[in-house]
């Protein structure tokens, strides 16, 4: 039987800081996207200086990975001065592409940094192949599709264009059309399309029926437990881990993970999972099956429920955060392995969150390696026995009969502690 020719898509991970960039690449990402000190939509992320950008590019390129810089705001007049210098400086760091949505910034980049590849941001809401061909004619290398595009539409696009297609496969969904929301502007005077989103759609709201002037009737939401619940516009997160074959067969060139504001726990876990899934499919597409362990792993960092977004149908109220509580993450990120001594079976950990003797912990590392155990002993940096490690960045050691590696992360099983109730 002839083997099918399939192009391996890149796994593109978010990197809000230099640490997250290195973690994403170490845990399998083929590329990362970051923000500079201007023109990006995540002003509260740990955005990169040009020196940090240069260091990140060197780290990535040494490991055959790429770095893209998001400069995807909707620009107003006051945003334009200095854009030419910004793109020149970005190009000088050696990045592989910039992600832009505003035509004025695209033109500025072309003129100021000729030869720097440009990717069209999802903010441009590209939903058809005619649009993709237009931007290809303008010299762009790649288009990041609107999140509202379905898998059948991507297949049709692939038949009519050869521009690179990037699509979101995991992370937060915006209630606005591909991020074109003005709730934050209206309610908090923070421009969501220039990096200041206040996440108003995640808030809880009282809802009233006002049929006539002077009338006001509260509409109370009731969850399955019979308790009153406020209304929200918050969508659950996207997760396409069970549909990797559809994405690859449809011709998606880059599988994008959302989350530049997320933790290293999230970045390492999600990059690890999707890299494992893509590698498995490319190795043997005819016998590929989704590994349930991949899905379980994603639930360890999921902050909301998970759905397939618009890929297979139009989302309904089942894809909103309302009603019965969905499956929630049971693990907390507690540390990073610094060293392992096989002679004494001792692991040295830099603590990130409180953990201690009796806790169940799990080591995980690049290549989807895992080892779970219960903490039986714990020592501080001076070798004194302690019950818990409560101090951030504290160096501790413990007995671990299984070899782990520097750079592996440690997560702890969350234990719900109940307060004593007086009789």
């Amino acid at each position: 039987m002839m083997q099918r020719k399939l192009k391996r898509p890149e796994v593109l991970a978010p990197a809000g800081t230099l640490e997250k960039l290195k973690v994403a690449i170490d845990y399998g990402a083929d590329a990362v996207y970051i923000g500079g000190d201007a023109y990006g939509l995540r002003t509260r992320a740990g955005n990169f200086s040009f020196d940090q950008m240069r260091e990140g590019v060197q780290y990535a390129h040494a490991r055959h990975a790429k770095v893209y810089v998001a400069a995807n705001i909707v620009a107003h007049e006051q945003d334009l001065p200095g854009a030419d210098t910004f793109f020149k400086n970005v190009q000088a760091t050696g990045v592989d592409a910039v992600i832009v949505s505003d035509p004025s910034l695209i033109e500025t980049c072309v003129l100021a940094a000729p030869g720097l590849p440009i990717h069209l941001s999802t903010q441009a809401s590209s939903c058809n192949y005619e649009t993709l061909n237009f931007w290809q004619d303008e010299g762009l290398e790649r288009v990041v599709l609107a999140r509202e595009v379905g898998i059948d539409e991507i297949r049709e696009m692939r038949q009519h264009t050869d521009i690179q297609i990037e699509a979101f496969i995991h992370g937060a969904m915006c209630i606005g059309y591909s991020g074109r929301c003005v709730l934050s502007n209206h309610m908090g005077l923070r421009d969501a399309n220039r990096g200041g989103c206040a996440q108003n759609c995640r808030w809880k709201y009282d809802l009233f029926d006002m049929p006539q002037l002077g009338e006001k009737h509260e509409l109370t939401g009731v969850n399955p437990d019979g308790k009153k619940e406020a209304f929200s516009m918050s969508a659950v997160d996207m997760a396409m881990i069970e549909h990797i074959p559809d994405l690859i067969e449809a011709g998606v060139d880059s599988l994008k993970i959302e989350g530049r504001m997320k933790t290293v726990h999230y970045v390492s876990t999600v990059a690890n999972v999707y890299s494992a899934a893509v590698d498995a499919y490319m190795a043997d597409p005819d016998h590929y099956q989704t590994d349930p362990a991949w899905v379980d792993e994603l639930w360890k960092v999921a902050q909301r429920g998970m759905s397939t977004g618009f890929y297979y149908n139009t989302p309904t109220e089942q894809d909103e955060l309302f009603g019965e509580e969905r499956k929630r993450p049971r693990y907390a990120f507690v540390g990073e392995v610094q060293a392992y001594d096989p002679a004494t079976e001792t692991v040295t950990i830099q603590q990130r969150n409180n953990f201690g003797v009796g806790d169940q912990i799990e080591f995980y590392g690049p290549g989807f390696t895992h080892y779970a155990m219960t903490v039986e002993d714990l020592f501080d940096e001076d070798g004194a026995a302690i019950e818990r490690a409560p101090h951030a960045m504290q160096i501790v050691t413990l007995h671990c009969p299984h070899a782990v590696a520097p750079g592996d992360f440690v997560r702890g099983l969350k234990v719900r502690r109940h307060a004593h109730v007086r009789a």
Side-chain angles (χ1 to χ4, degrees):
M1 184 174 64
M2 287 186 62
Q3 202 167 20
R4 284 176 287 167
K5 282 189 175 181
L6 291 173
K7 178 183 177 183
R8 187 191 189 282
E10 72 177 10
V11 174
L12 175 57
T17 65
L18 187 57
E19 179 191 23
K20 293 173 189 176
L21 178 150
K22 294 177 179 179
V23 165
I25 293 169
D26 290 346
Y27 277 75
D30 303 292
V32 295
Y33 62 101
I34 66 176
D37 59 5
Y39 303 105
L41 284 179
R42 292 292 180 269
T43 56
R44 288 173 293 162
N47 293 314
F48 286 59
S49 67
F50 293 119
D51 286 341
Q52 291 173 324
M53 206 176 285
R54 190 174 293 104
E55 182 179 346
V57 168
Q58 291 171 353
Y59 189 89
H61 288 179
R63 291 157 182 79
H64 310 290
K66 295 182 177 180
V67 178
Y68 310 135
V69 175
N72 53 346
I73 67 167
V74 176
H76 288 233
E77 295 295 345
Q78 61 267 37
D79 299 315
L80 297 177
D84 53 350
T85 301
F86 174 82
F87 286 116
K88 286 179 183 177
N89 289 335
V90 167
Q91 185 178 38
T93 67
V95 302
D96 298 277
V98 288
I99 307 168
V100 191
S101 66
D102 193 300
S104 67
L105 292 178
I106 291 174
E107 183 176 30
T108 299
C109 181
V110 169
L111 295 175
L116 178 59
I118 301 173
H119 298 174
L120 188 73
S121 170
T122 190
Q123 293 295 115
S125 302
S126 299
C127 299
N128 58 76
Y129 70 80
E130 289 90 343
T131 295
L132 271 62
N133 284 331
F134 169 84
W135 287 111
Q136 186 176 32
D137 291 343
E138 291 297 309
L140 272 64
E141 178 182 272
R142 178 186 296 184
V143 169
V144 187
L145 298 181
R147 287 180 176 87
E148 294 75 27
V149 172
I151 196 74
D152 288 337
E153 292 177 301
I154 296 177
R155 292 190 184 102
E156 185 175 1
M157 290 175 182
R158 187 74 291 163
Q159 293 173 3
H160 293 89
T161 183
D162 59 1
I163 194 172
Q164 292 179 26
I165 292 175
E166 182 178 306
F168 279 94
I169 59 156
H170 193 93
M173 293 286 287
C174 184
I175 201 66
Y177 202 89
S178 283
R180 296 188 174 211
C181 175
V182 294
L183 275 177
S184 182
N185 305 57
H186 177 67
M187 301 177 69
L189 300 179
R190 287 170 51 174
D191 194 337
N193 296 302
R194 286 195 285 172
C197 182
Q199 302 283 308
N200 304 68
C201 59
R202 306 293 186 193
W203 301 354
K204 293 289 188 178
Y205 293 89
D206 291 326
L207 186 63
F208 298 92
D209 178 24
M210 303 176 69
Q212 298 182 33
L213 184 65
E215 290 189 42
K216 186 176 180 180
H217 307 293
E218 183 177 6
L219 301 177
T220 301
V222 179
N223 65 28
D225 296 328
K227 298 179 181 178
K228 177 181 174 181
E229 184 172 351
F231 291 90
S232 167
M233 292 174 281
S234 186
V236 299
D237 289 352
M238 178 194 291
M240 287 291 285
I241 187 60
E242 297 181 87
H243 305 278
I244 294 300
D246 284 353
L247 293 162
I248 296 177
E249 297 282 356
V252 178
D253 297 284
S254 179
L255 308 179
K256 188 169 194 171
I257 299 164
E258 182 275 338
R260 276 195 288 142
M261 302 285 289
K262 299 289 181 67
T263 64
V264 291
H265 182 208
Y266 170 91
V267 171
S268 58
T269 299
V270 179
N272 218 3
V273 167
Y274 281 100
S275 297
V278 170
D279 287 344
Y281 185 73
M282 295 305 296
D284 191 0
D286 293 319
H287 300 94
Y288 173 89
Q289 289 185 324
T290 300
D291 187 340
W294 299 335
V295 181
D296 291 343
E297 188 79 355
L298 291 178
W299 276 111
K300 294 174 183 177
V301 294
Q303 297 304 306
R304 309 176 185 96
M306 295 192 290
S307 78
T308 55
F310 287 81
Y311 277 108
Y312 298 102
N313 49 51
T314 300
T316 68
E317 68 277 6
Q318 299 303 315
D319 301 295
E320 296 293 309
L321 283 178
F322 180 80
E324 187 175 0
E325 185 176 16
R326 318 227 175 174
K327 188 175 179 180
R328 302 290 287 178
R330 299 183 299 123
Y331 288 83
F333 176 47
V334 298
E336 180 180 359
V337 174
Q338 301 294 299
Y340 182 77
D341 184 349
T344 60
E345 295 185 336
T346 300
V347 59
T348 302
I349 297 172
Q350 184 184 64
Q351 183 261 35
R352 298 296 184 93
N353 278 296
N354 190 323
F355 77 102
V357 175
D359 289 359
Q360 296 180 52
I361 62 173
E362 179 183 61
F363 295 89
Y364 70 96
F368 210 68
T369 60
H370 291 79
Y371 174 68
M373 60 170 281
T374 299
V375 179
E376 297 180 350
D377 53 30
L378 194 63
F379 304 90
D380 65 18
E381 201 166 4
D382 297 323
I386 56 176
E387 285 296 310
R388 303 202 66 78
H391 306 299
M393 309 304 280
Q394 182 177 4
I395 300 298
V396 297
T397 60
L398 56 91
H399 178 253
C400 177
H402 182 85
V404 293
D408 286 359
F409 286 137
V410 191
R411 54 167 72 103
L413 185 64
K414 292 181 179 178
V415 178
R416 186 171 292 179
R417 307 185 188 280
H418 299 280
H420 292 290
V421 179
R422 293 180 181 177

